[in-house]
């Protein structure tokens, strides 16, 4: 294993530094990181918590810290090779998603400690990228993702693992809308079909992804390197969730919790929340898109499991059964004919990819209607610079002006929603509504900053979101669809972080109590053992207790002795100083192969 060229690439300091360099782009749930120190064996790292280490690693020139992190990562990766059953440990938080058929459906969000996530990405990069020419290029596996895929696409920019979602979603939306308008004019296609998948990430069989990637790996790869790729996939797809309380294992995904012969419980599906899940999800979608195109021929646009297809295929729910059967047959064929089979020492976990049918509001089939493209461009144009305008606002007059702009745009969106007959346009309008509503709420919170949040305002927030009600009668899930609860809650938590703990307790206690009620009144749960597994209360606690640590990204560079000498040397011209600073940063970067 350790003699393979791919393994040598993984544990090279420059490869691990690349993972550290892109850290902010792949730690999707930084609020779930631990605030406890002493979790690392390295003496230098022992006093760091995950949260403080994340903040410190934003400084990419802190060479002493980075050297210790790289050494710890190399040690961790080496440990994974020594024992077959040695896996990354994974924590799970339960995110209430919707109330349906008399119960609350939860989305499991996975996380691991920060060093493990850096190790995961260091191991994932040889599968996603080809850095052999010292210029980042897509690997043969990443090139399997077709041109009509837009979500979670690998990025060749070293600072990011995936292309920014906001730019990608804008491109996806724009191209899909323009195509619909064109087909309405030329009558090439008659129908627009929107497909969505049920519980996508938990429904993906890790064994399928494992065998599929191995089957697509370039012919001619050495046996040593193939064994290394096989090993990487086994460590990224199967995680140790043994620490999850027994009472929550059924909630994790009903009965789909597998246990290996060493007594360790594995994750179900691919671990949503961790970086590899989003790449593996797209790999799964390549097969789904291929099979979909065989039955629903046309022009398709995919944003992960969300899709828009223009076609002449008539509406027929029977197509879903055939599509479902074909996808299941193809996946089982890849599993049955691949190097890895379902293990006899595991409880069988039944995975099934399913679409919402046309009777559900998440999948639809209708005749292409004229789309007011100009109105959508009007909404998209001010969205791009709005974050910059908010962050650079110099006084309250700027804030008031930006708030007025958001309110005016939201009024336009509400009018467009009422008159639109196009389902794709309605879906996009709802996305824009979330975006502008969040910015409006942020600006309102900024104006309230001088007086802070008192108990009345916290109570108003709690009542408005129905947090004191039973889940069946609460407005919480309707507001969750508009993506405002988490954003508003974060703002309030940030506002009260500097005030008394009593205010923090008021907010966090009510949110946690509501999450516990979401488990159901008849649930047999030991509350004391599961309090720490609720997503929203953990998320808000991060901000309410002031754990969102900010650090100057160039702190080490600014305090560098040579930099101070350059700055204080009065004999150097501005141009000379600039050239020497460039040389200093170049020499620092060269330590890690950049």
């Amino acid at each position: 294993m350790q003699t393979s060229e791919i393994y040598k690439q993984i544990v090279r300091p420059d490869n691990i530094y690349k993972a550290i360099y892109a850290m902010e782009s792949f730690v999707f749930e930084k609020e779930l990181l631990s605030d406890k120190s002493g979790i690392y064996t390295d003496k230098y790292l022992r006093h760091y918590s995950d949260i403080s280490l994340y903040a410190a690693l934003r400084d990419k020139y802190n060479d002493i810290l980075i050297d210790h992190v790289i050494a710890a990562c190399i040690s961790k990766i080496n440990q994974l090779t020594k024992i077959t059953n040695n896996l990354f440990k994974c924590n799970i938080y339960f995110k209430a998603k919707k109330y349906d058929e008399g119960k609350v459906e939860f989305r499991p969000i996975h996380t691991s400690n920060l060093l493990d996530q850096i190790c995961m990405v260091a191991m994932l990069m040889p599968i996603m990228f080809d850095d052999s020419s010292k210029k980042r290029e897509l690997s043969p596996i990443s090139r399997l993702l077709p041109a009509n895929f837009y979500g979670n696409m690998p990025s060749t920019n070293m600072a990011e693992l995936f292309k920014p979602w906001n730019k990608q979603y804008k491109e996806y939306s724009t191209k899909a809308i323009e195509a619909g308008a064109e087909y309405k004019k030329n009558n090439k296609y008659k129908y627009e079909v929107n497909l969505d998948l049920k519980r996508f990430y938990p429904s993906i069989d890790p064994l399928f992804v494992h065998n599929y990637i191995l089957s697509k790996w370039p012919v001619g790869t050495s046996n040593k390197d193939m064994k290394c790729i096989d090993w990487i996939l086994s460590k990224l797809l199967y995680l140790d969730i043994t620490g999850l309380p027994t009472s929550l294992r059924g909630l994790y995904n009903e009965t789909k919790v597998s246990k290996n012969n060493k007594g360790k419980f594995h994750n179900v599906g691919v671990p949503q929340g961790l970086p590899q899940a989003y790449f593996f999800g797209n790999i799964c979608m390549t097969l789904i898109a291929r099979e979909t195109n065989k039955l629903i021929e046309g022009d398709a646009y995919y944003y992960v499991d969300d899709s828009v297809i223009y076609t002449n295929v008539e509406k027929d729910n029977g197509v879903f059964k055939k599509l479902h059967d074909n996808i299941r047959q193809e996946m089982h064929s890849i599993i049955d004919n691949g190097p890895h089979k379902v293990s006899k020492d595991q409880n069988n976990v039944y995975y099934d990819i399913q679409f919402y049918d046309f009777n559900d509001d998440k999948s639809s089939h209708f005749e292409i209607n004229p789309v007011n493209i100009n109105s959508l461009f009007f909404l998209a144009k001010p969205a791009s610079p709005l974050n910059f305008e908010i962050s650079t606002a110099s006084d309250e007059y700027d804030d008031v002006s930006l708030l007025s702009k958001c309110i005016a745009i939201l009024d336009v969106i509400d009018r467009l929603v009422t008159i639109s007959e196009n389902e794709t346009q309605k879906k996009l309008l709802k996305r824009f509504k979330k975006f502008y509503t969040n910015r409006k709420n942020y600006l309102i919170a900024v104006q309230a900053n001088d007086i802070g949040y008192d108990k009345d305002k916290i109570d108003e927030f709690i009542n408005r979101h129905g947090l004191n009600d039973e889940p069946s009668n609460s407005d919480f899930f309707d507001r969750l669809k508009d993506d405002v609860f988490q954003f508003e809650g974060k703002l309030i938590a940030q506002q009260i972080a500097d005030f008394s703990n009593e205010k923090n307790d008021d907010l966090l206690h009510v949110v946690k109590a509501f999450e516990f009620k979401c488990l159901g009144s008849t649930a047999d749960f030991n509350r004391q053992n599961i309090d720490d597994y609720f997503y929203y209360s953990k998320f808000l606690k991060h901000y309410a207790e002031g754990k969102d640590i900010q650090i100057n990204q160039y702190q080490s560079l600014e305090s560098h002795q040579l930099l101070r000498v350059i700055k204080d040397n009065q004999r150097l011209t501005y141009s000379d100083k600039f050239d020497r600073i460039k040389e200093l940063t170049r020499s620092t970067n060269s330590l890690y192969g950049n």
Side-chain angles (χ1 to χ4, degrees), residues 137-328:
E137 296 177 353
L138 297 181
S139 71
I141 301 300
S142 287
R143 291 200 294 272
L144 292 174
L145 304 178
N148 62 343
F149 276 32
Y150 294 90
N152 299 334
M153 296 300 288
S155 172
T156 55
N157 181 345
M158 292 287 191
E160 54 196 29
L161 195 64
F162 300 104
K163 293 180 180 179
W165 73 267
N166 50 351
K167 292 181 181 178
Q168 290 298 108
Y169 191 81
K170 181 180 177 181
E171 185 177 359
Y172 162 74
S173 305
T174 302
K175 289 191 175 182
I177 293 167
E178 288 177 339
E182 183 64 25
Y183 298 142
K184 182 63 180 180
K185 291 178 184 177
N186 62 27
N187 295 316
K188 181 179 180 180
Y189 296 116
K190 184 177 180 181
Y191 300 110
E192 177 180 329
V193 177
N194 292 275
L195 300 178
D196 200 1
L197 288 161
K198 297 180 180 179
R199 297 177 63 82
F200 177 54
Y201 291 100
S203 70
I204 300 173
D205 190 338
L207 198 55
F208 159 73
V209 177
H210 197 154
N211 283 344
Y212 188 68
I213 290 178
L214 289 176
S215 71
K216 297 296 183 180
W217 202 263
V219 176
T221 303
S222 70
N223 288 335
K224 286 183 179 180
D225 281 348
M226 283 305 301
K227 287 181 179 179
C228 185
I229 294 298
D230 190 3
W231 170 79
I232 291 170
L233 292 170
S234 70
K235 300 305 179 185
L236 296 182
L237 284 164
Y238 305 100
L239 307 176
D240 179 5
I241 65 164
T242 305
L244 185 67
T246 303
S247 59
L248 289 176
R249 286 178 188 154
L251 180 65
Y252 177 47
N253 205 355
E254 299 174 351
T255 59
K256 296 182 180 179
V257 180
S258 58
K259 185 178 181 181
N260 66 14
N261 62 350
K262 301 296 183 181
K264 288 188 177 181
F265 286 90
H266 288 162
N267 55 293
V268 172
V270 296
Q272 185 174 5
L274 291 172
Q276 63 267 36
Y278 303 99
F279 180 70
F280 292 147
N282 262 350
I283 293 298
C284 181
M285 280 302 302
T286 61
L287 181 142
I288 293 171
R290 186 185 71 203
E291 295 303 314
T292 301
N293 189 54
K294 291 178 183 177
L295 293 177
I296 310 176
E297 295 184 15
D299 186 7
Y301 300 84
Y302 289 90
Y303 192 88
V304 195
D305 59 325
D306 196 9
S307 61
V308 178
I309 306 171
Y310 296 104
T311 182
N312 289 318
V313 175
E314 298 286 340
K315 182 176 181 178
D316 176 15
N317 271 329
V319 76
F320 278 103
K321 184 180 185 309
K322 190 171 183 181
L323 180 57
H324 169 259
D325 290 343
N326 289 358
I327 291 171
R328 182 171 56 183

Side-chain angles (χ1 to χ4, degrees), residues 448-592:
N449 186 46
D450 292 340
I451 57 176
Y453 272 85
D454 58 24
K455 190 175 186 306
D456 290 340
K457 290 182 180 178
I458 294 173
D459 288 343
E460 190 275 332
F461 170 81
I462 289 170
N463 293 331
R464 181 155 40 88
H465 290 281
L467 295 173
N468 281 323
D469 302 329
E470 291 298 319
S472 57
N473 299 320
S474 176
D475 292 332
F476 176 80
F477 297 101
D478 289 333
R479 290 186 171 274
L480 210 56
K481 292 178 183 178
D482 292 331
D483 200 27
V484 296
F485 168 76
Q486 198 165 337
F487 193 87
E488 284 188 48
K490 173 183 172 180
L491 290 173
I492 291 177
Q494 288 173 322
Q495 293 286 320
I496 64 178
D498 295 329
F499 292 87
S500 68
N501 289 332
E502 182 181 350
K503 291 182 180 179
N504 297 351
D505 291 344
D506 286 344
L507 176 65
L508 299 179
H509 174 76
V510 172
V511 172
K512 187 173 286 190
F514 179 79
E515 290 180 290
F516 189 80
K517 285 190 289 187
C518 288
L519 296 176
S521 58
T522 60
D524 182 20
F525 292 109
N526 183 335
R527 177 166 184 169
Q528 188 174 2
N529 290 339
I530 65 173
D531 267 2
D532 292 334
Y533 294 89
F534 293 134
Y535 177 87
Y536 291 112
S537 49
K538 172 69 173 175
F539 176 90
L540 295 177
K541 182 180 179 181
H542 176 83
Y543 295 100
E545 296 185 353
K547 300 292 172 53
D548 192 33
I549 305 169
Q550 301 298 320
I551 191 171
N552 181 356
Q553 297 180 36
Y554 304 102
Q555 180 175 305
S556 296
L557 195 59
E558 289 178 357
S559 62
H560 198 291
Q561 183 178 359
L562 290 178
L563 181 61
R564 292 201 302 270
V565 171
I566 295 170
K567 290 169 63 178
D568 295 340
N569 192 331
Q570 297 180 359
R571 295 186 178 183
L572 294 176
T573 65
Y574 178 83
S575 178
D576 289 336
K577 289 182 179 181
F578 184 73
D579 288 341
R580 294 197 182 188
I581 290 172
K582 281 203 305 183
E583 182 59 36
L584 173 62
T585 56
R586 189 181 298 115
S587 64
T588 303
N589 288 338
S590 68
L591 292 173
Y592 303 106

Side-chain angles (χ1 to χ4, degrees), residues 81-121:
T81 67
K82 294 176 181 178
I83 304 174
T84 303
N85 201 48
N86 197 355
L87 304 172
F88 287 115
K89 292 187 182 297
C90 177
N91 296 322
I92 298 166
Y93 290 86
F94 293 93
K95 188 175 186 179
K97 183 180 178 184
K98 65 179 180 179
Y99 187 85
D100 188 32
E101 298 182 354
K103 66 178 183 179
V104 174
E105 180 181 317
F106 289 87
R107 172 179 293 167
I109 303 297
H110 305 71
T111 187
S112 293
N113 71 57
L114 184 58
L115 281 185
D116 280 2
Q117 292 194 53
I118 292 171
C119 290
M120 290 173 189
V121 172

Side-chain angles (χ1 to χ4, degrees), residues 401-433:
S401 175
L402 291 169
L403 178 60
S404 298
K405 180 193 288 189
C406 289
I407 292 172
I409 292 174
L410 284 167
D411 183 56
V412 172
I413 291 173
D414 287 337
R415 292 171 184 269
L416 289 172
V417 169
T418 59
I419 64 174
S420 175
E421 297 180 357
N422 181 279
E423 293 302 318
T424 296
Q425 185 180 29
K426 284 184 177 180
K427 182 181 284 190
L428 296 173
L429 287 171
K430 289 178 181 178
R431 299 259 182 169
F432 279 122
K433 184 172 182 177

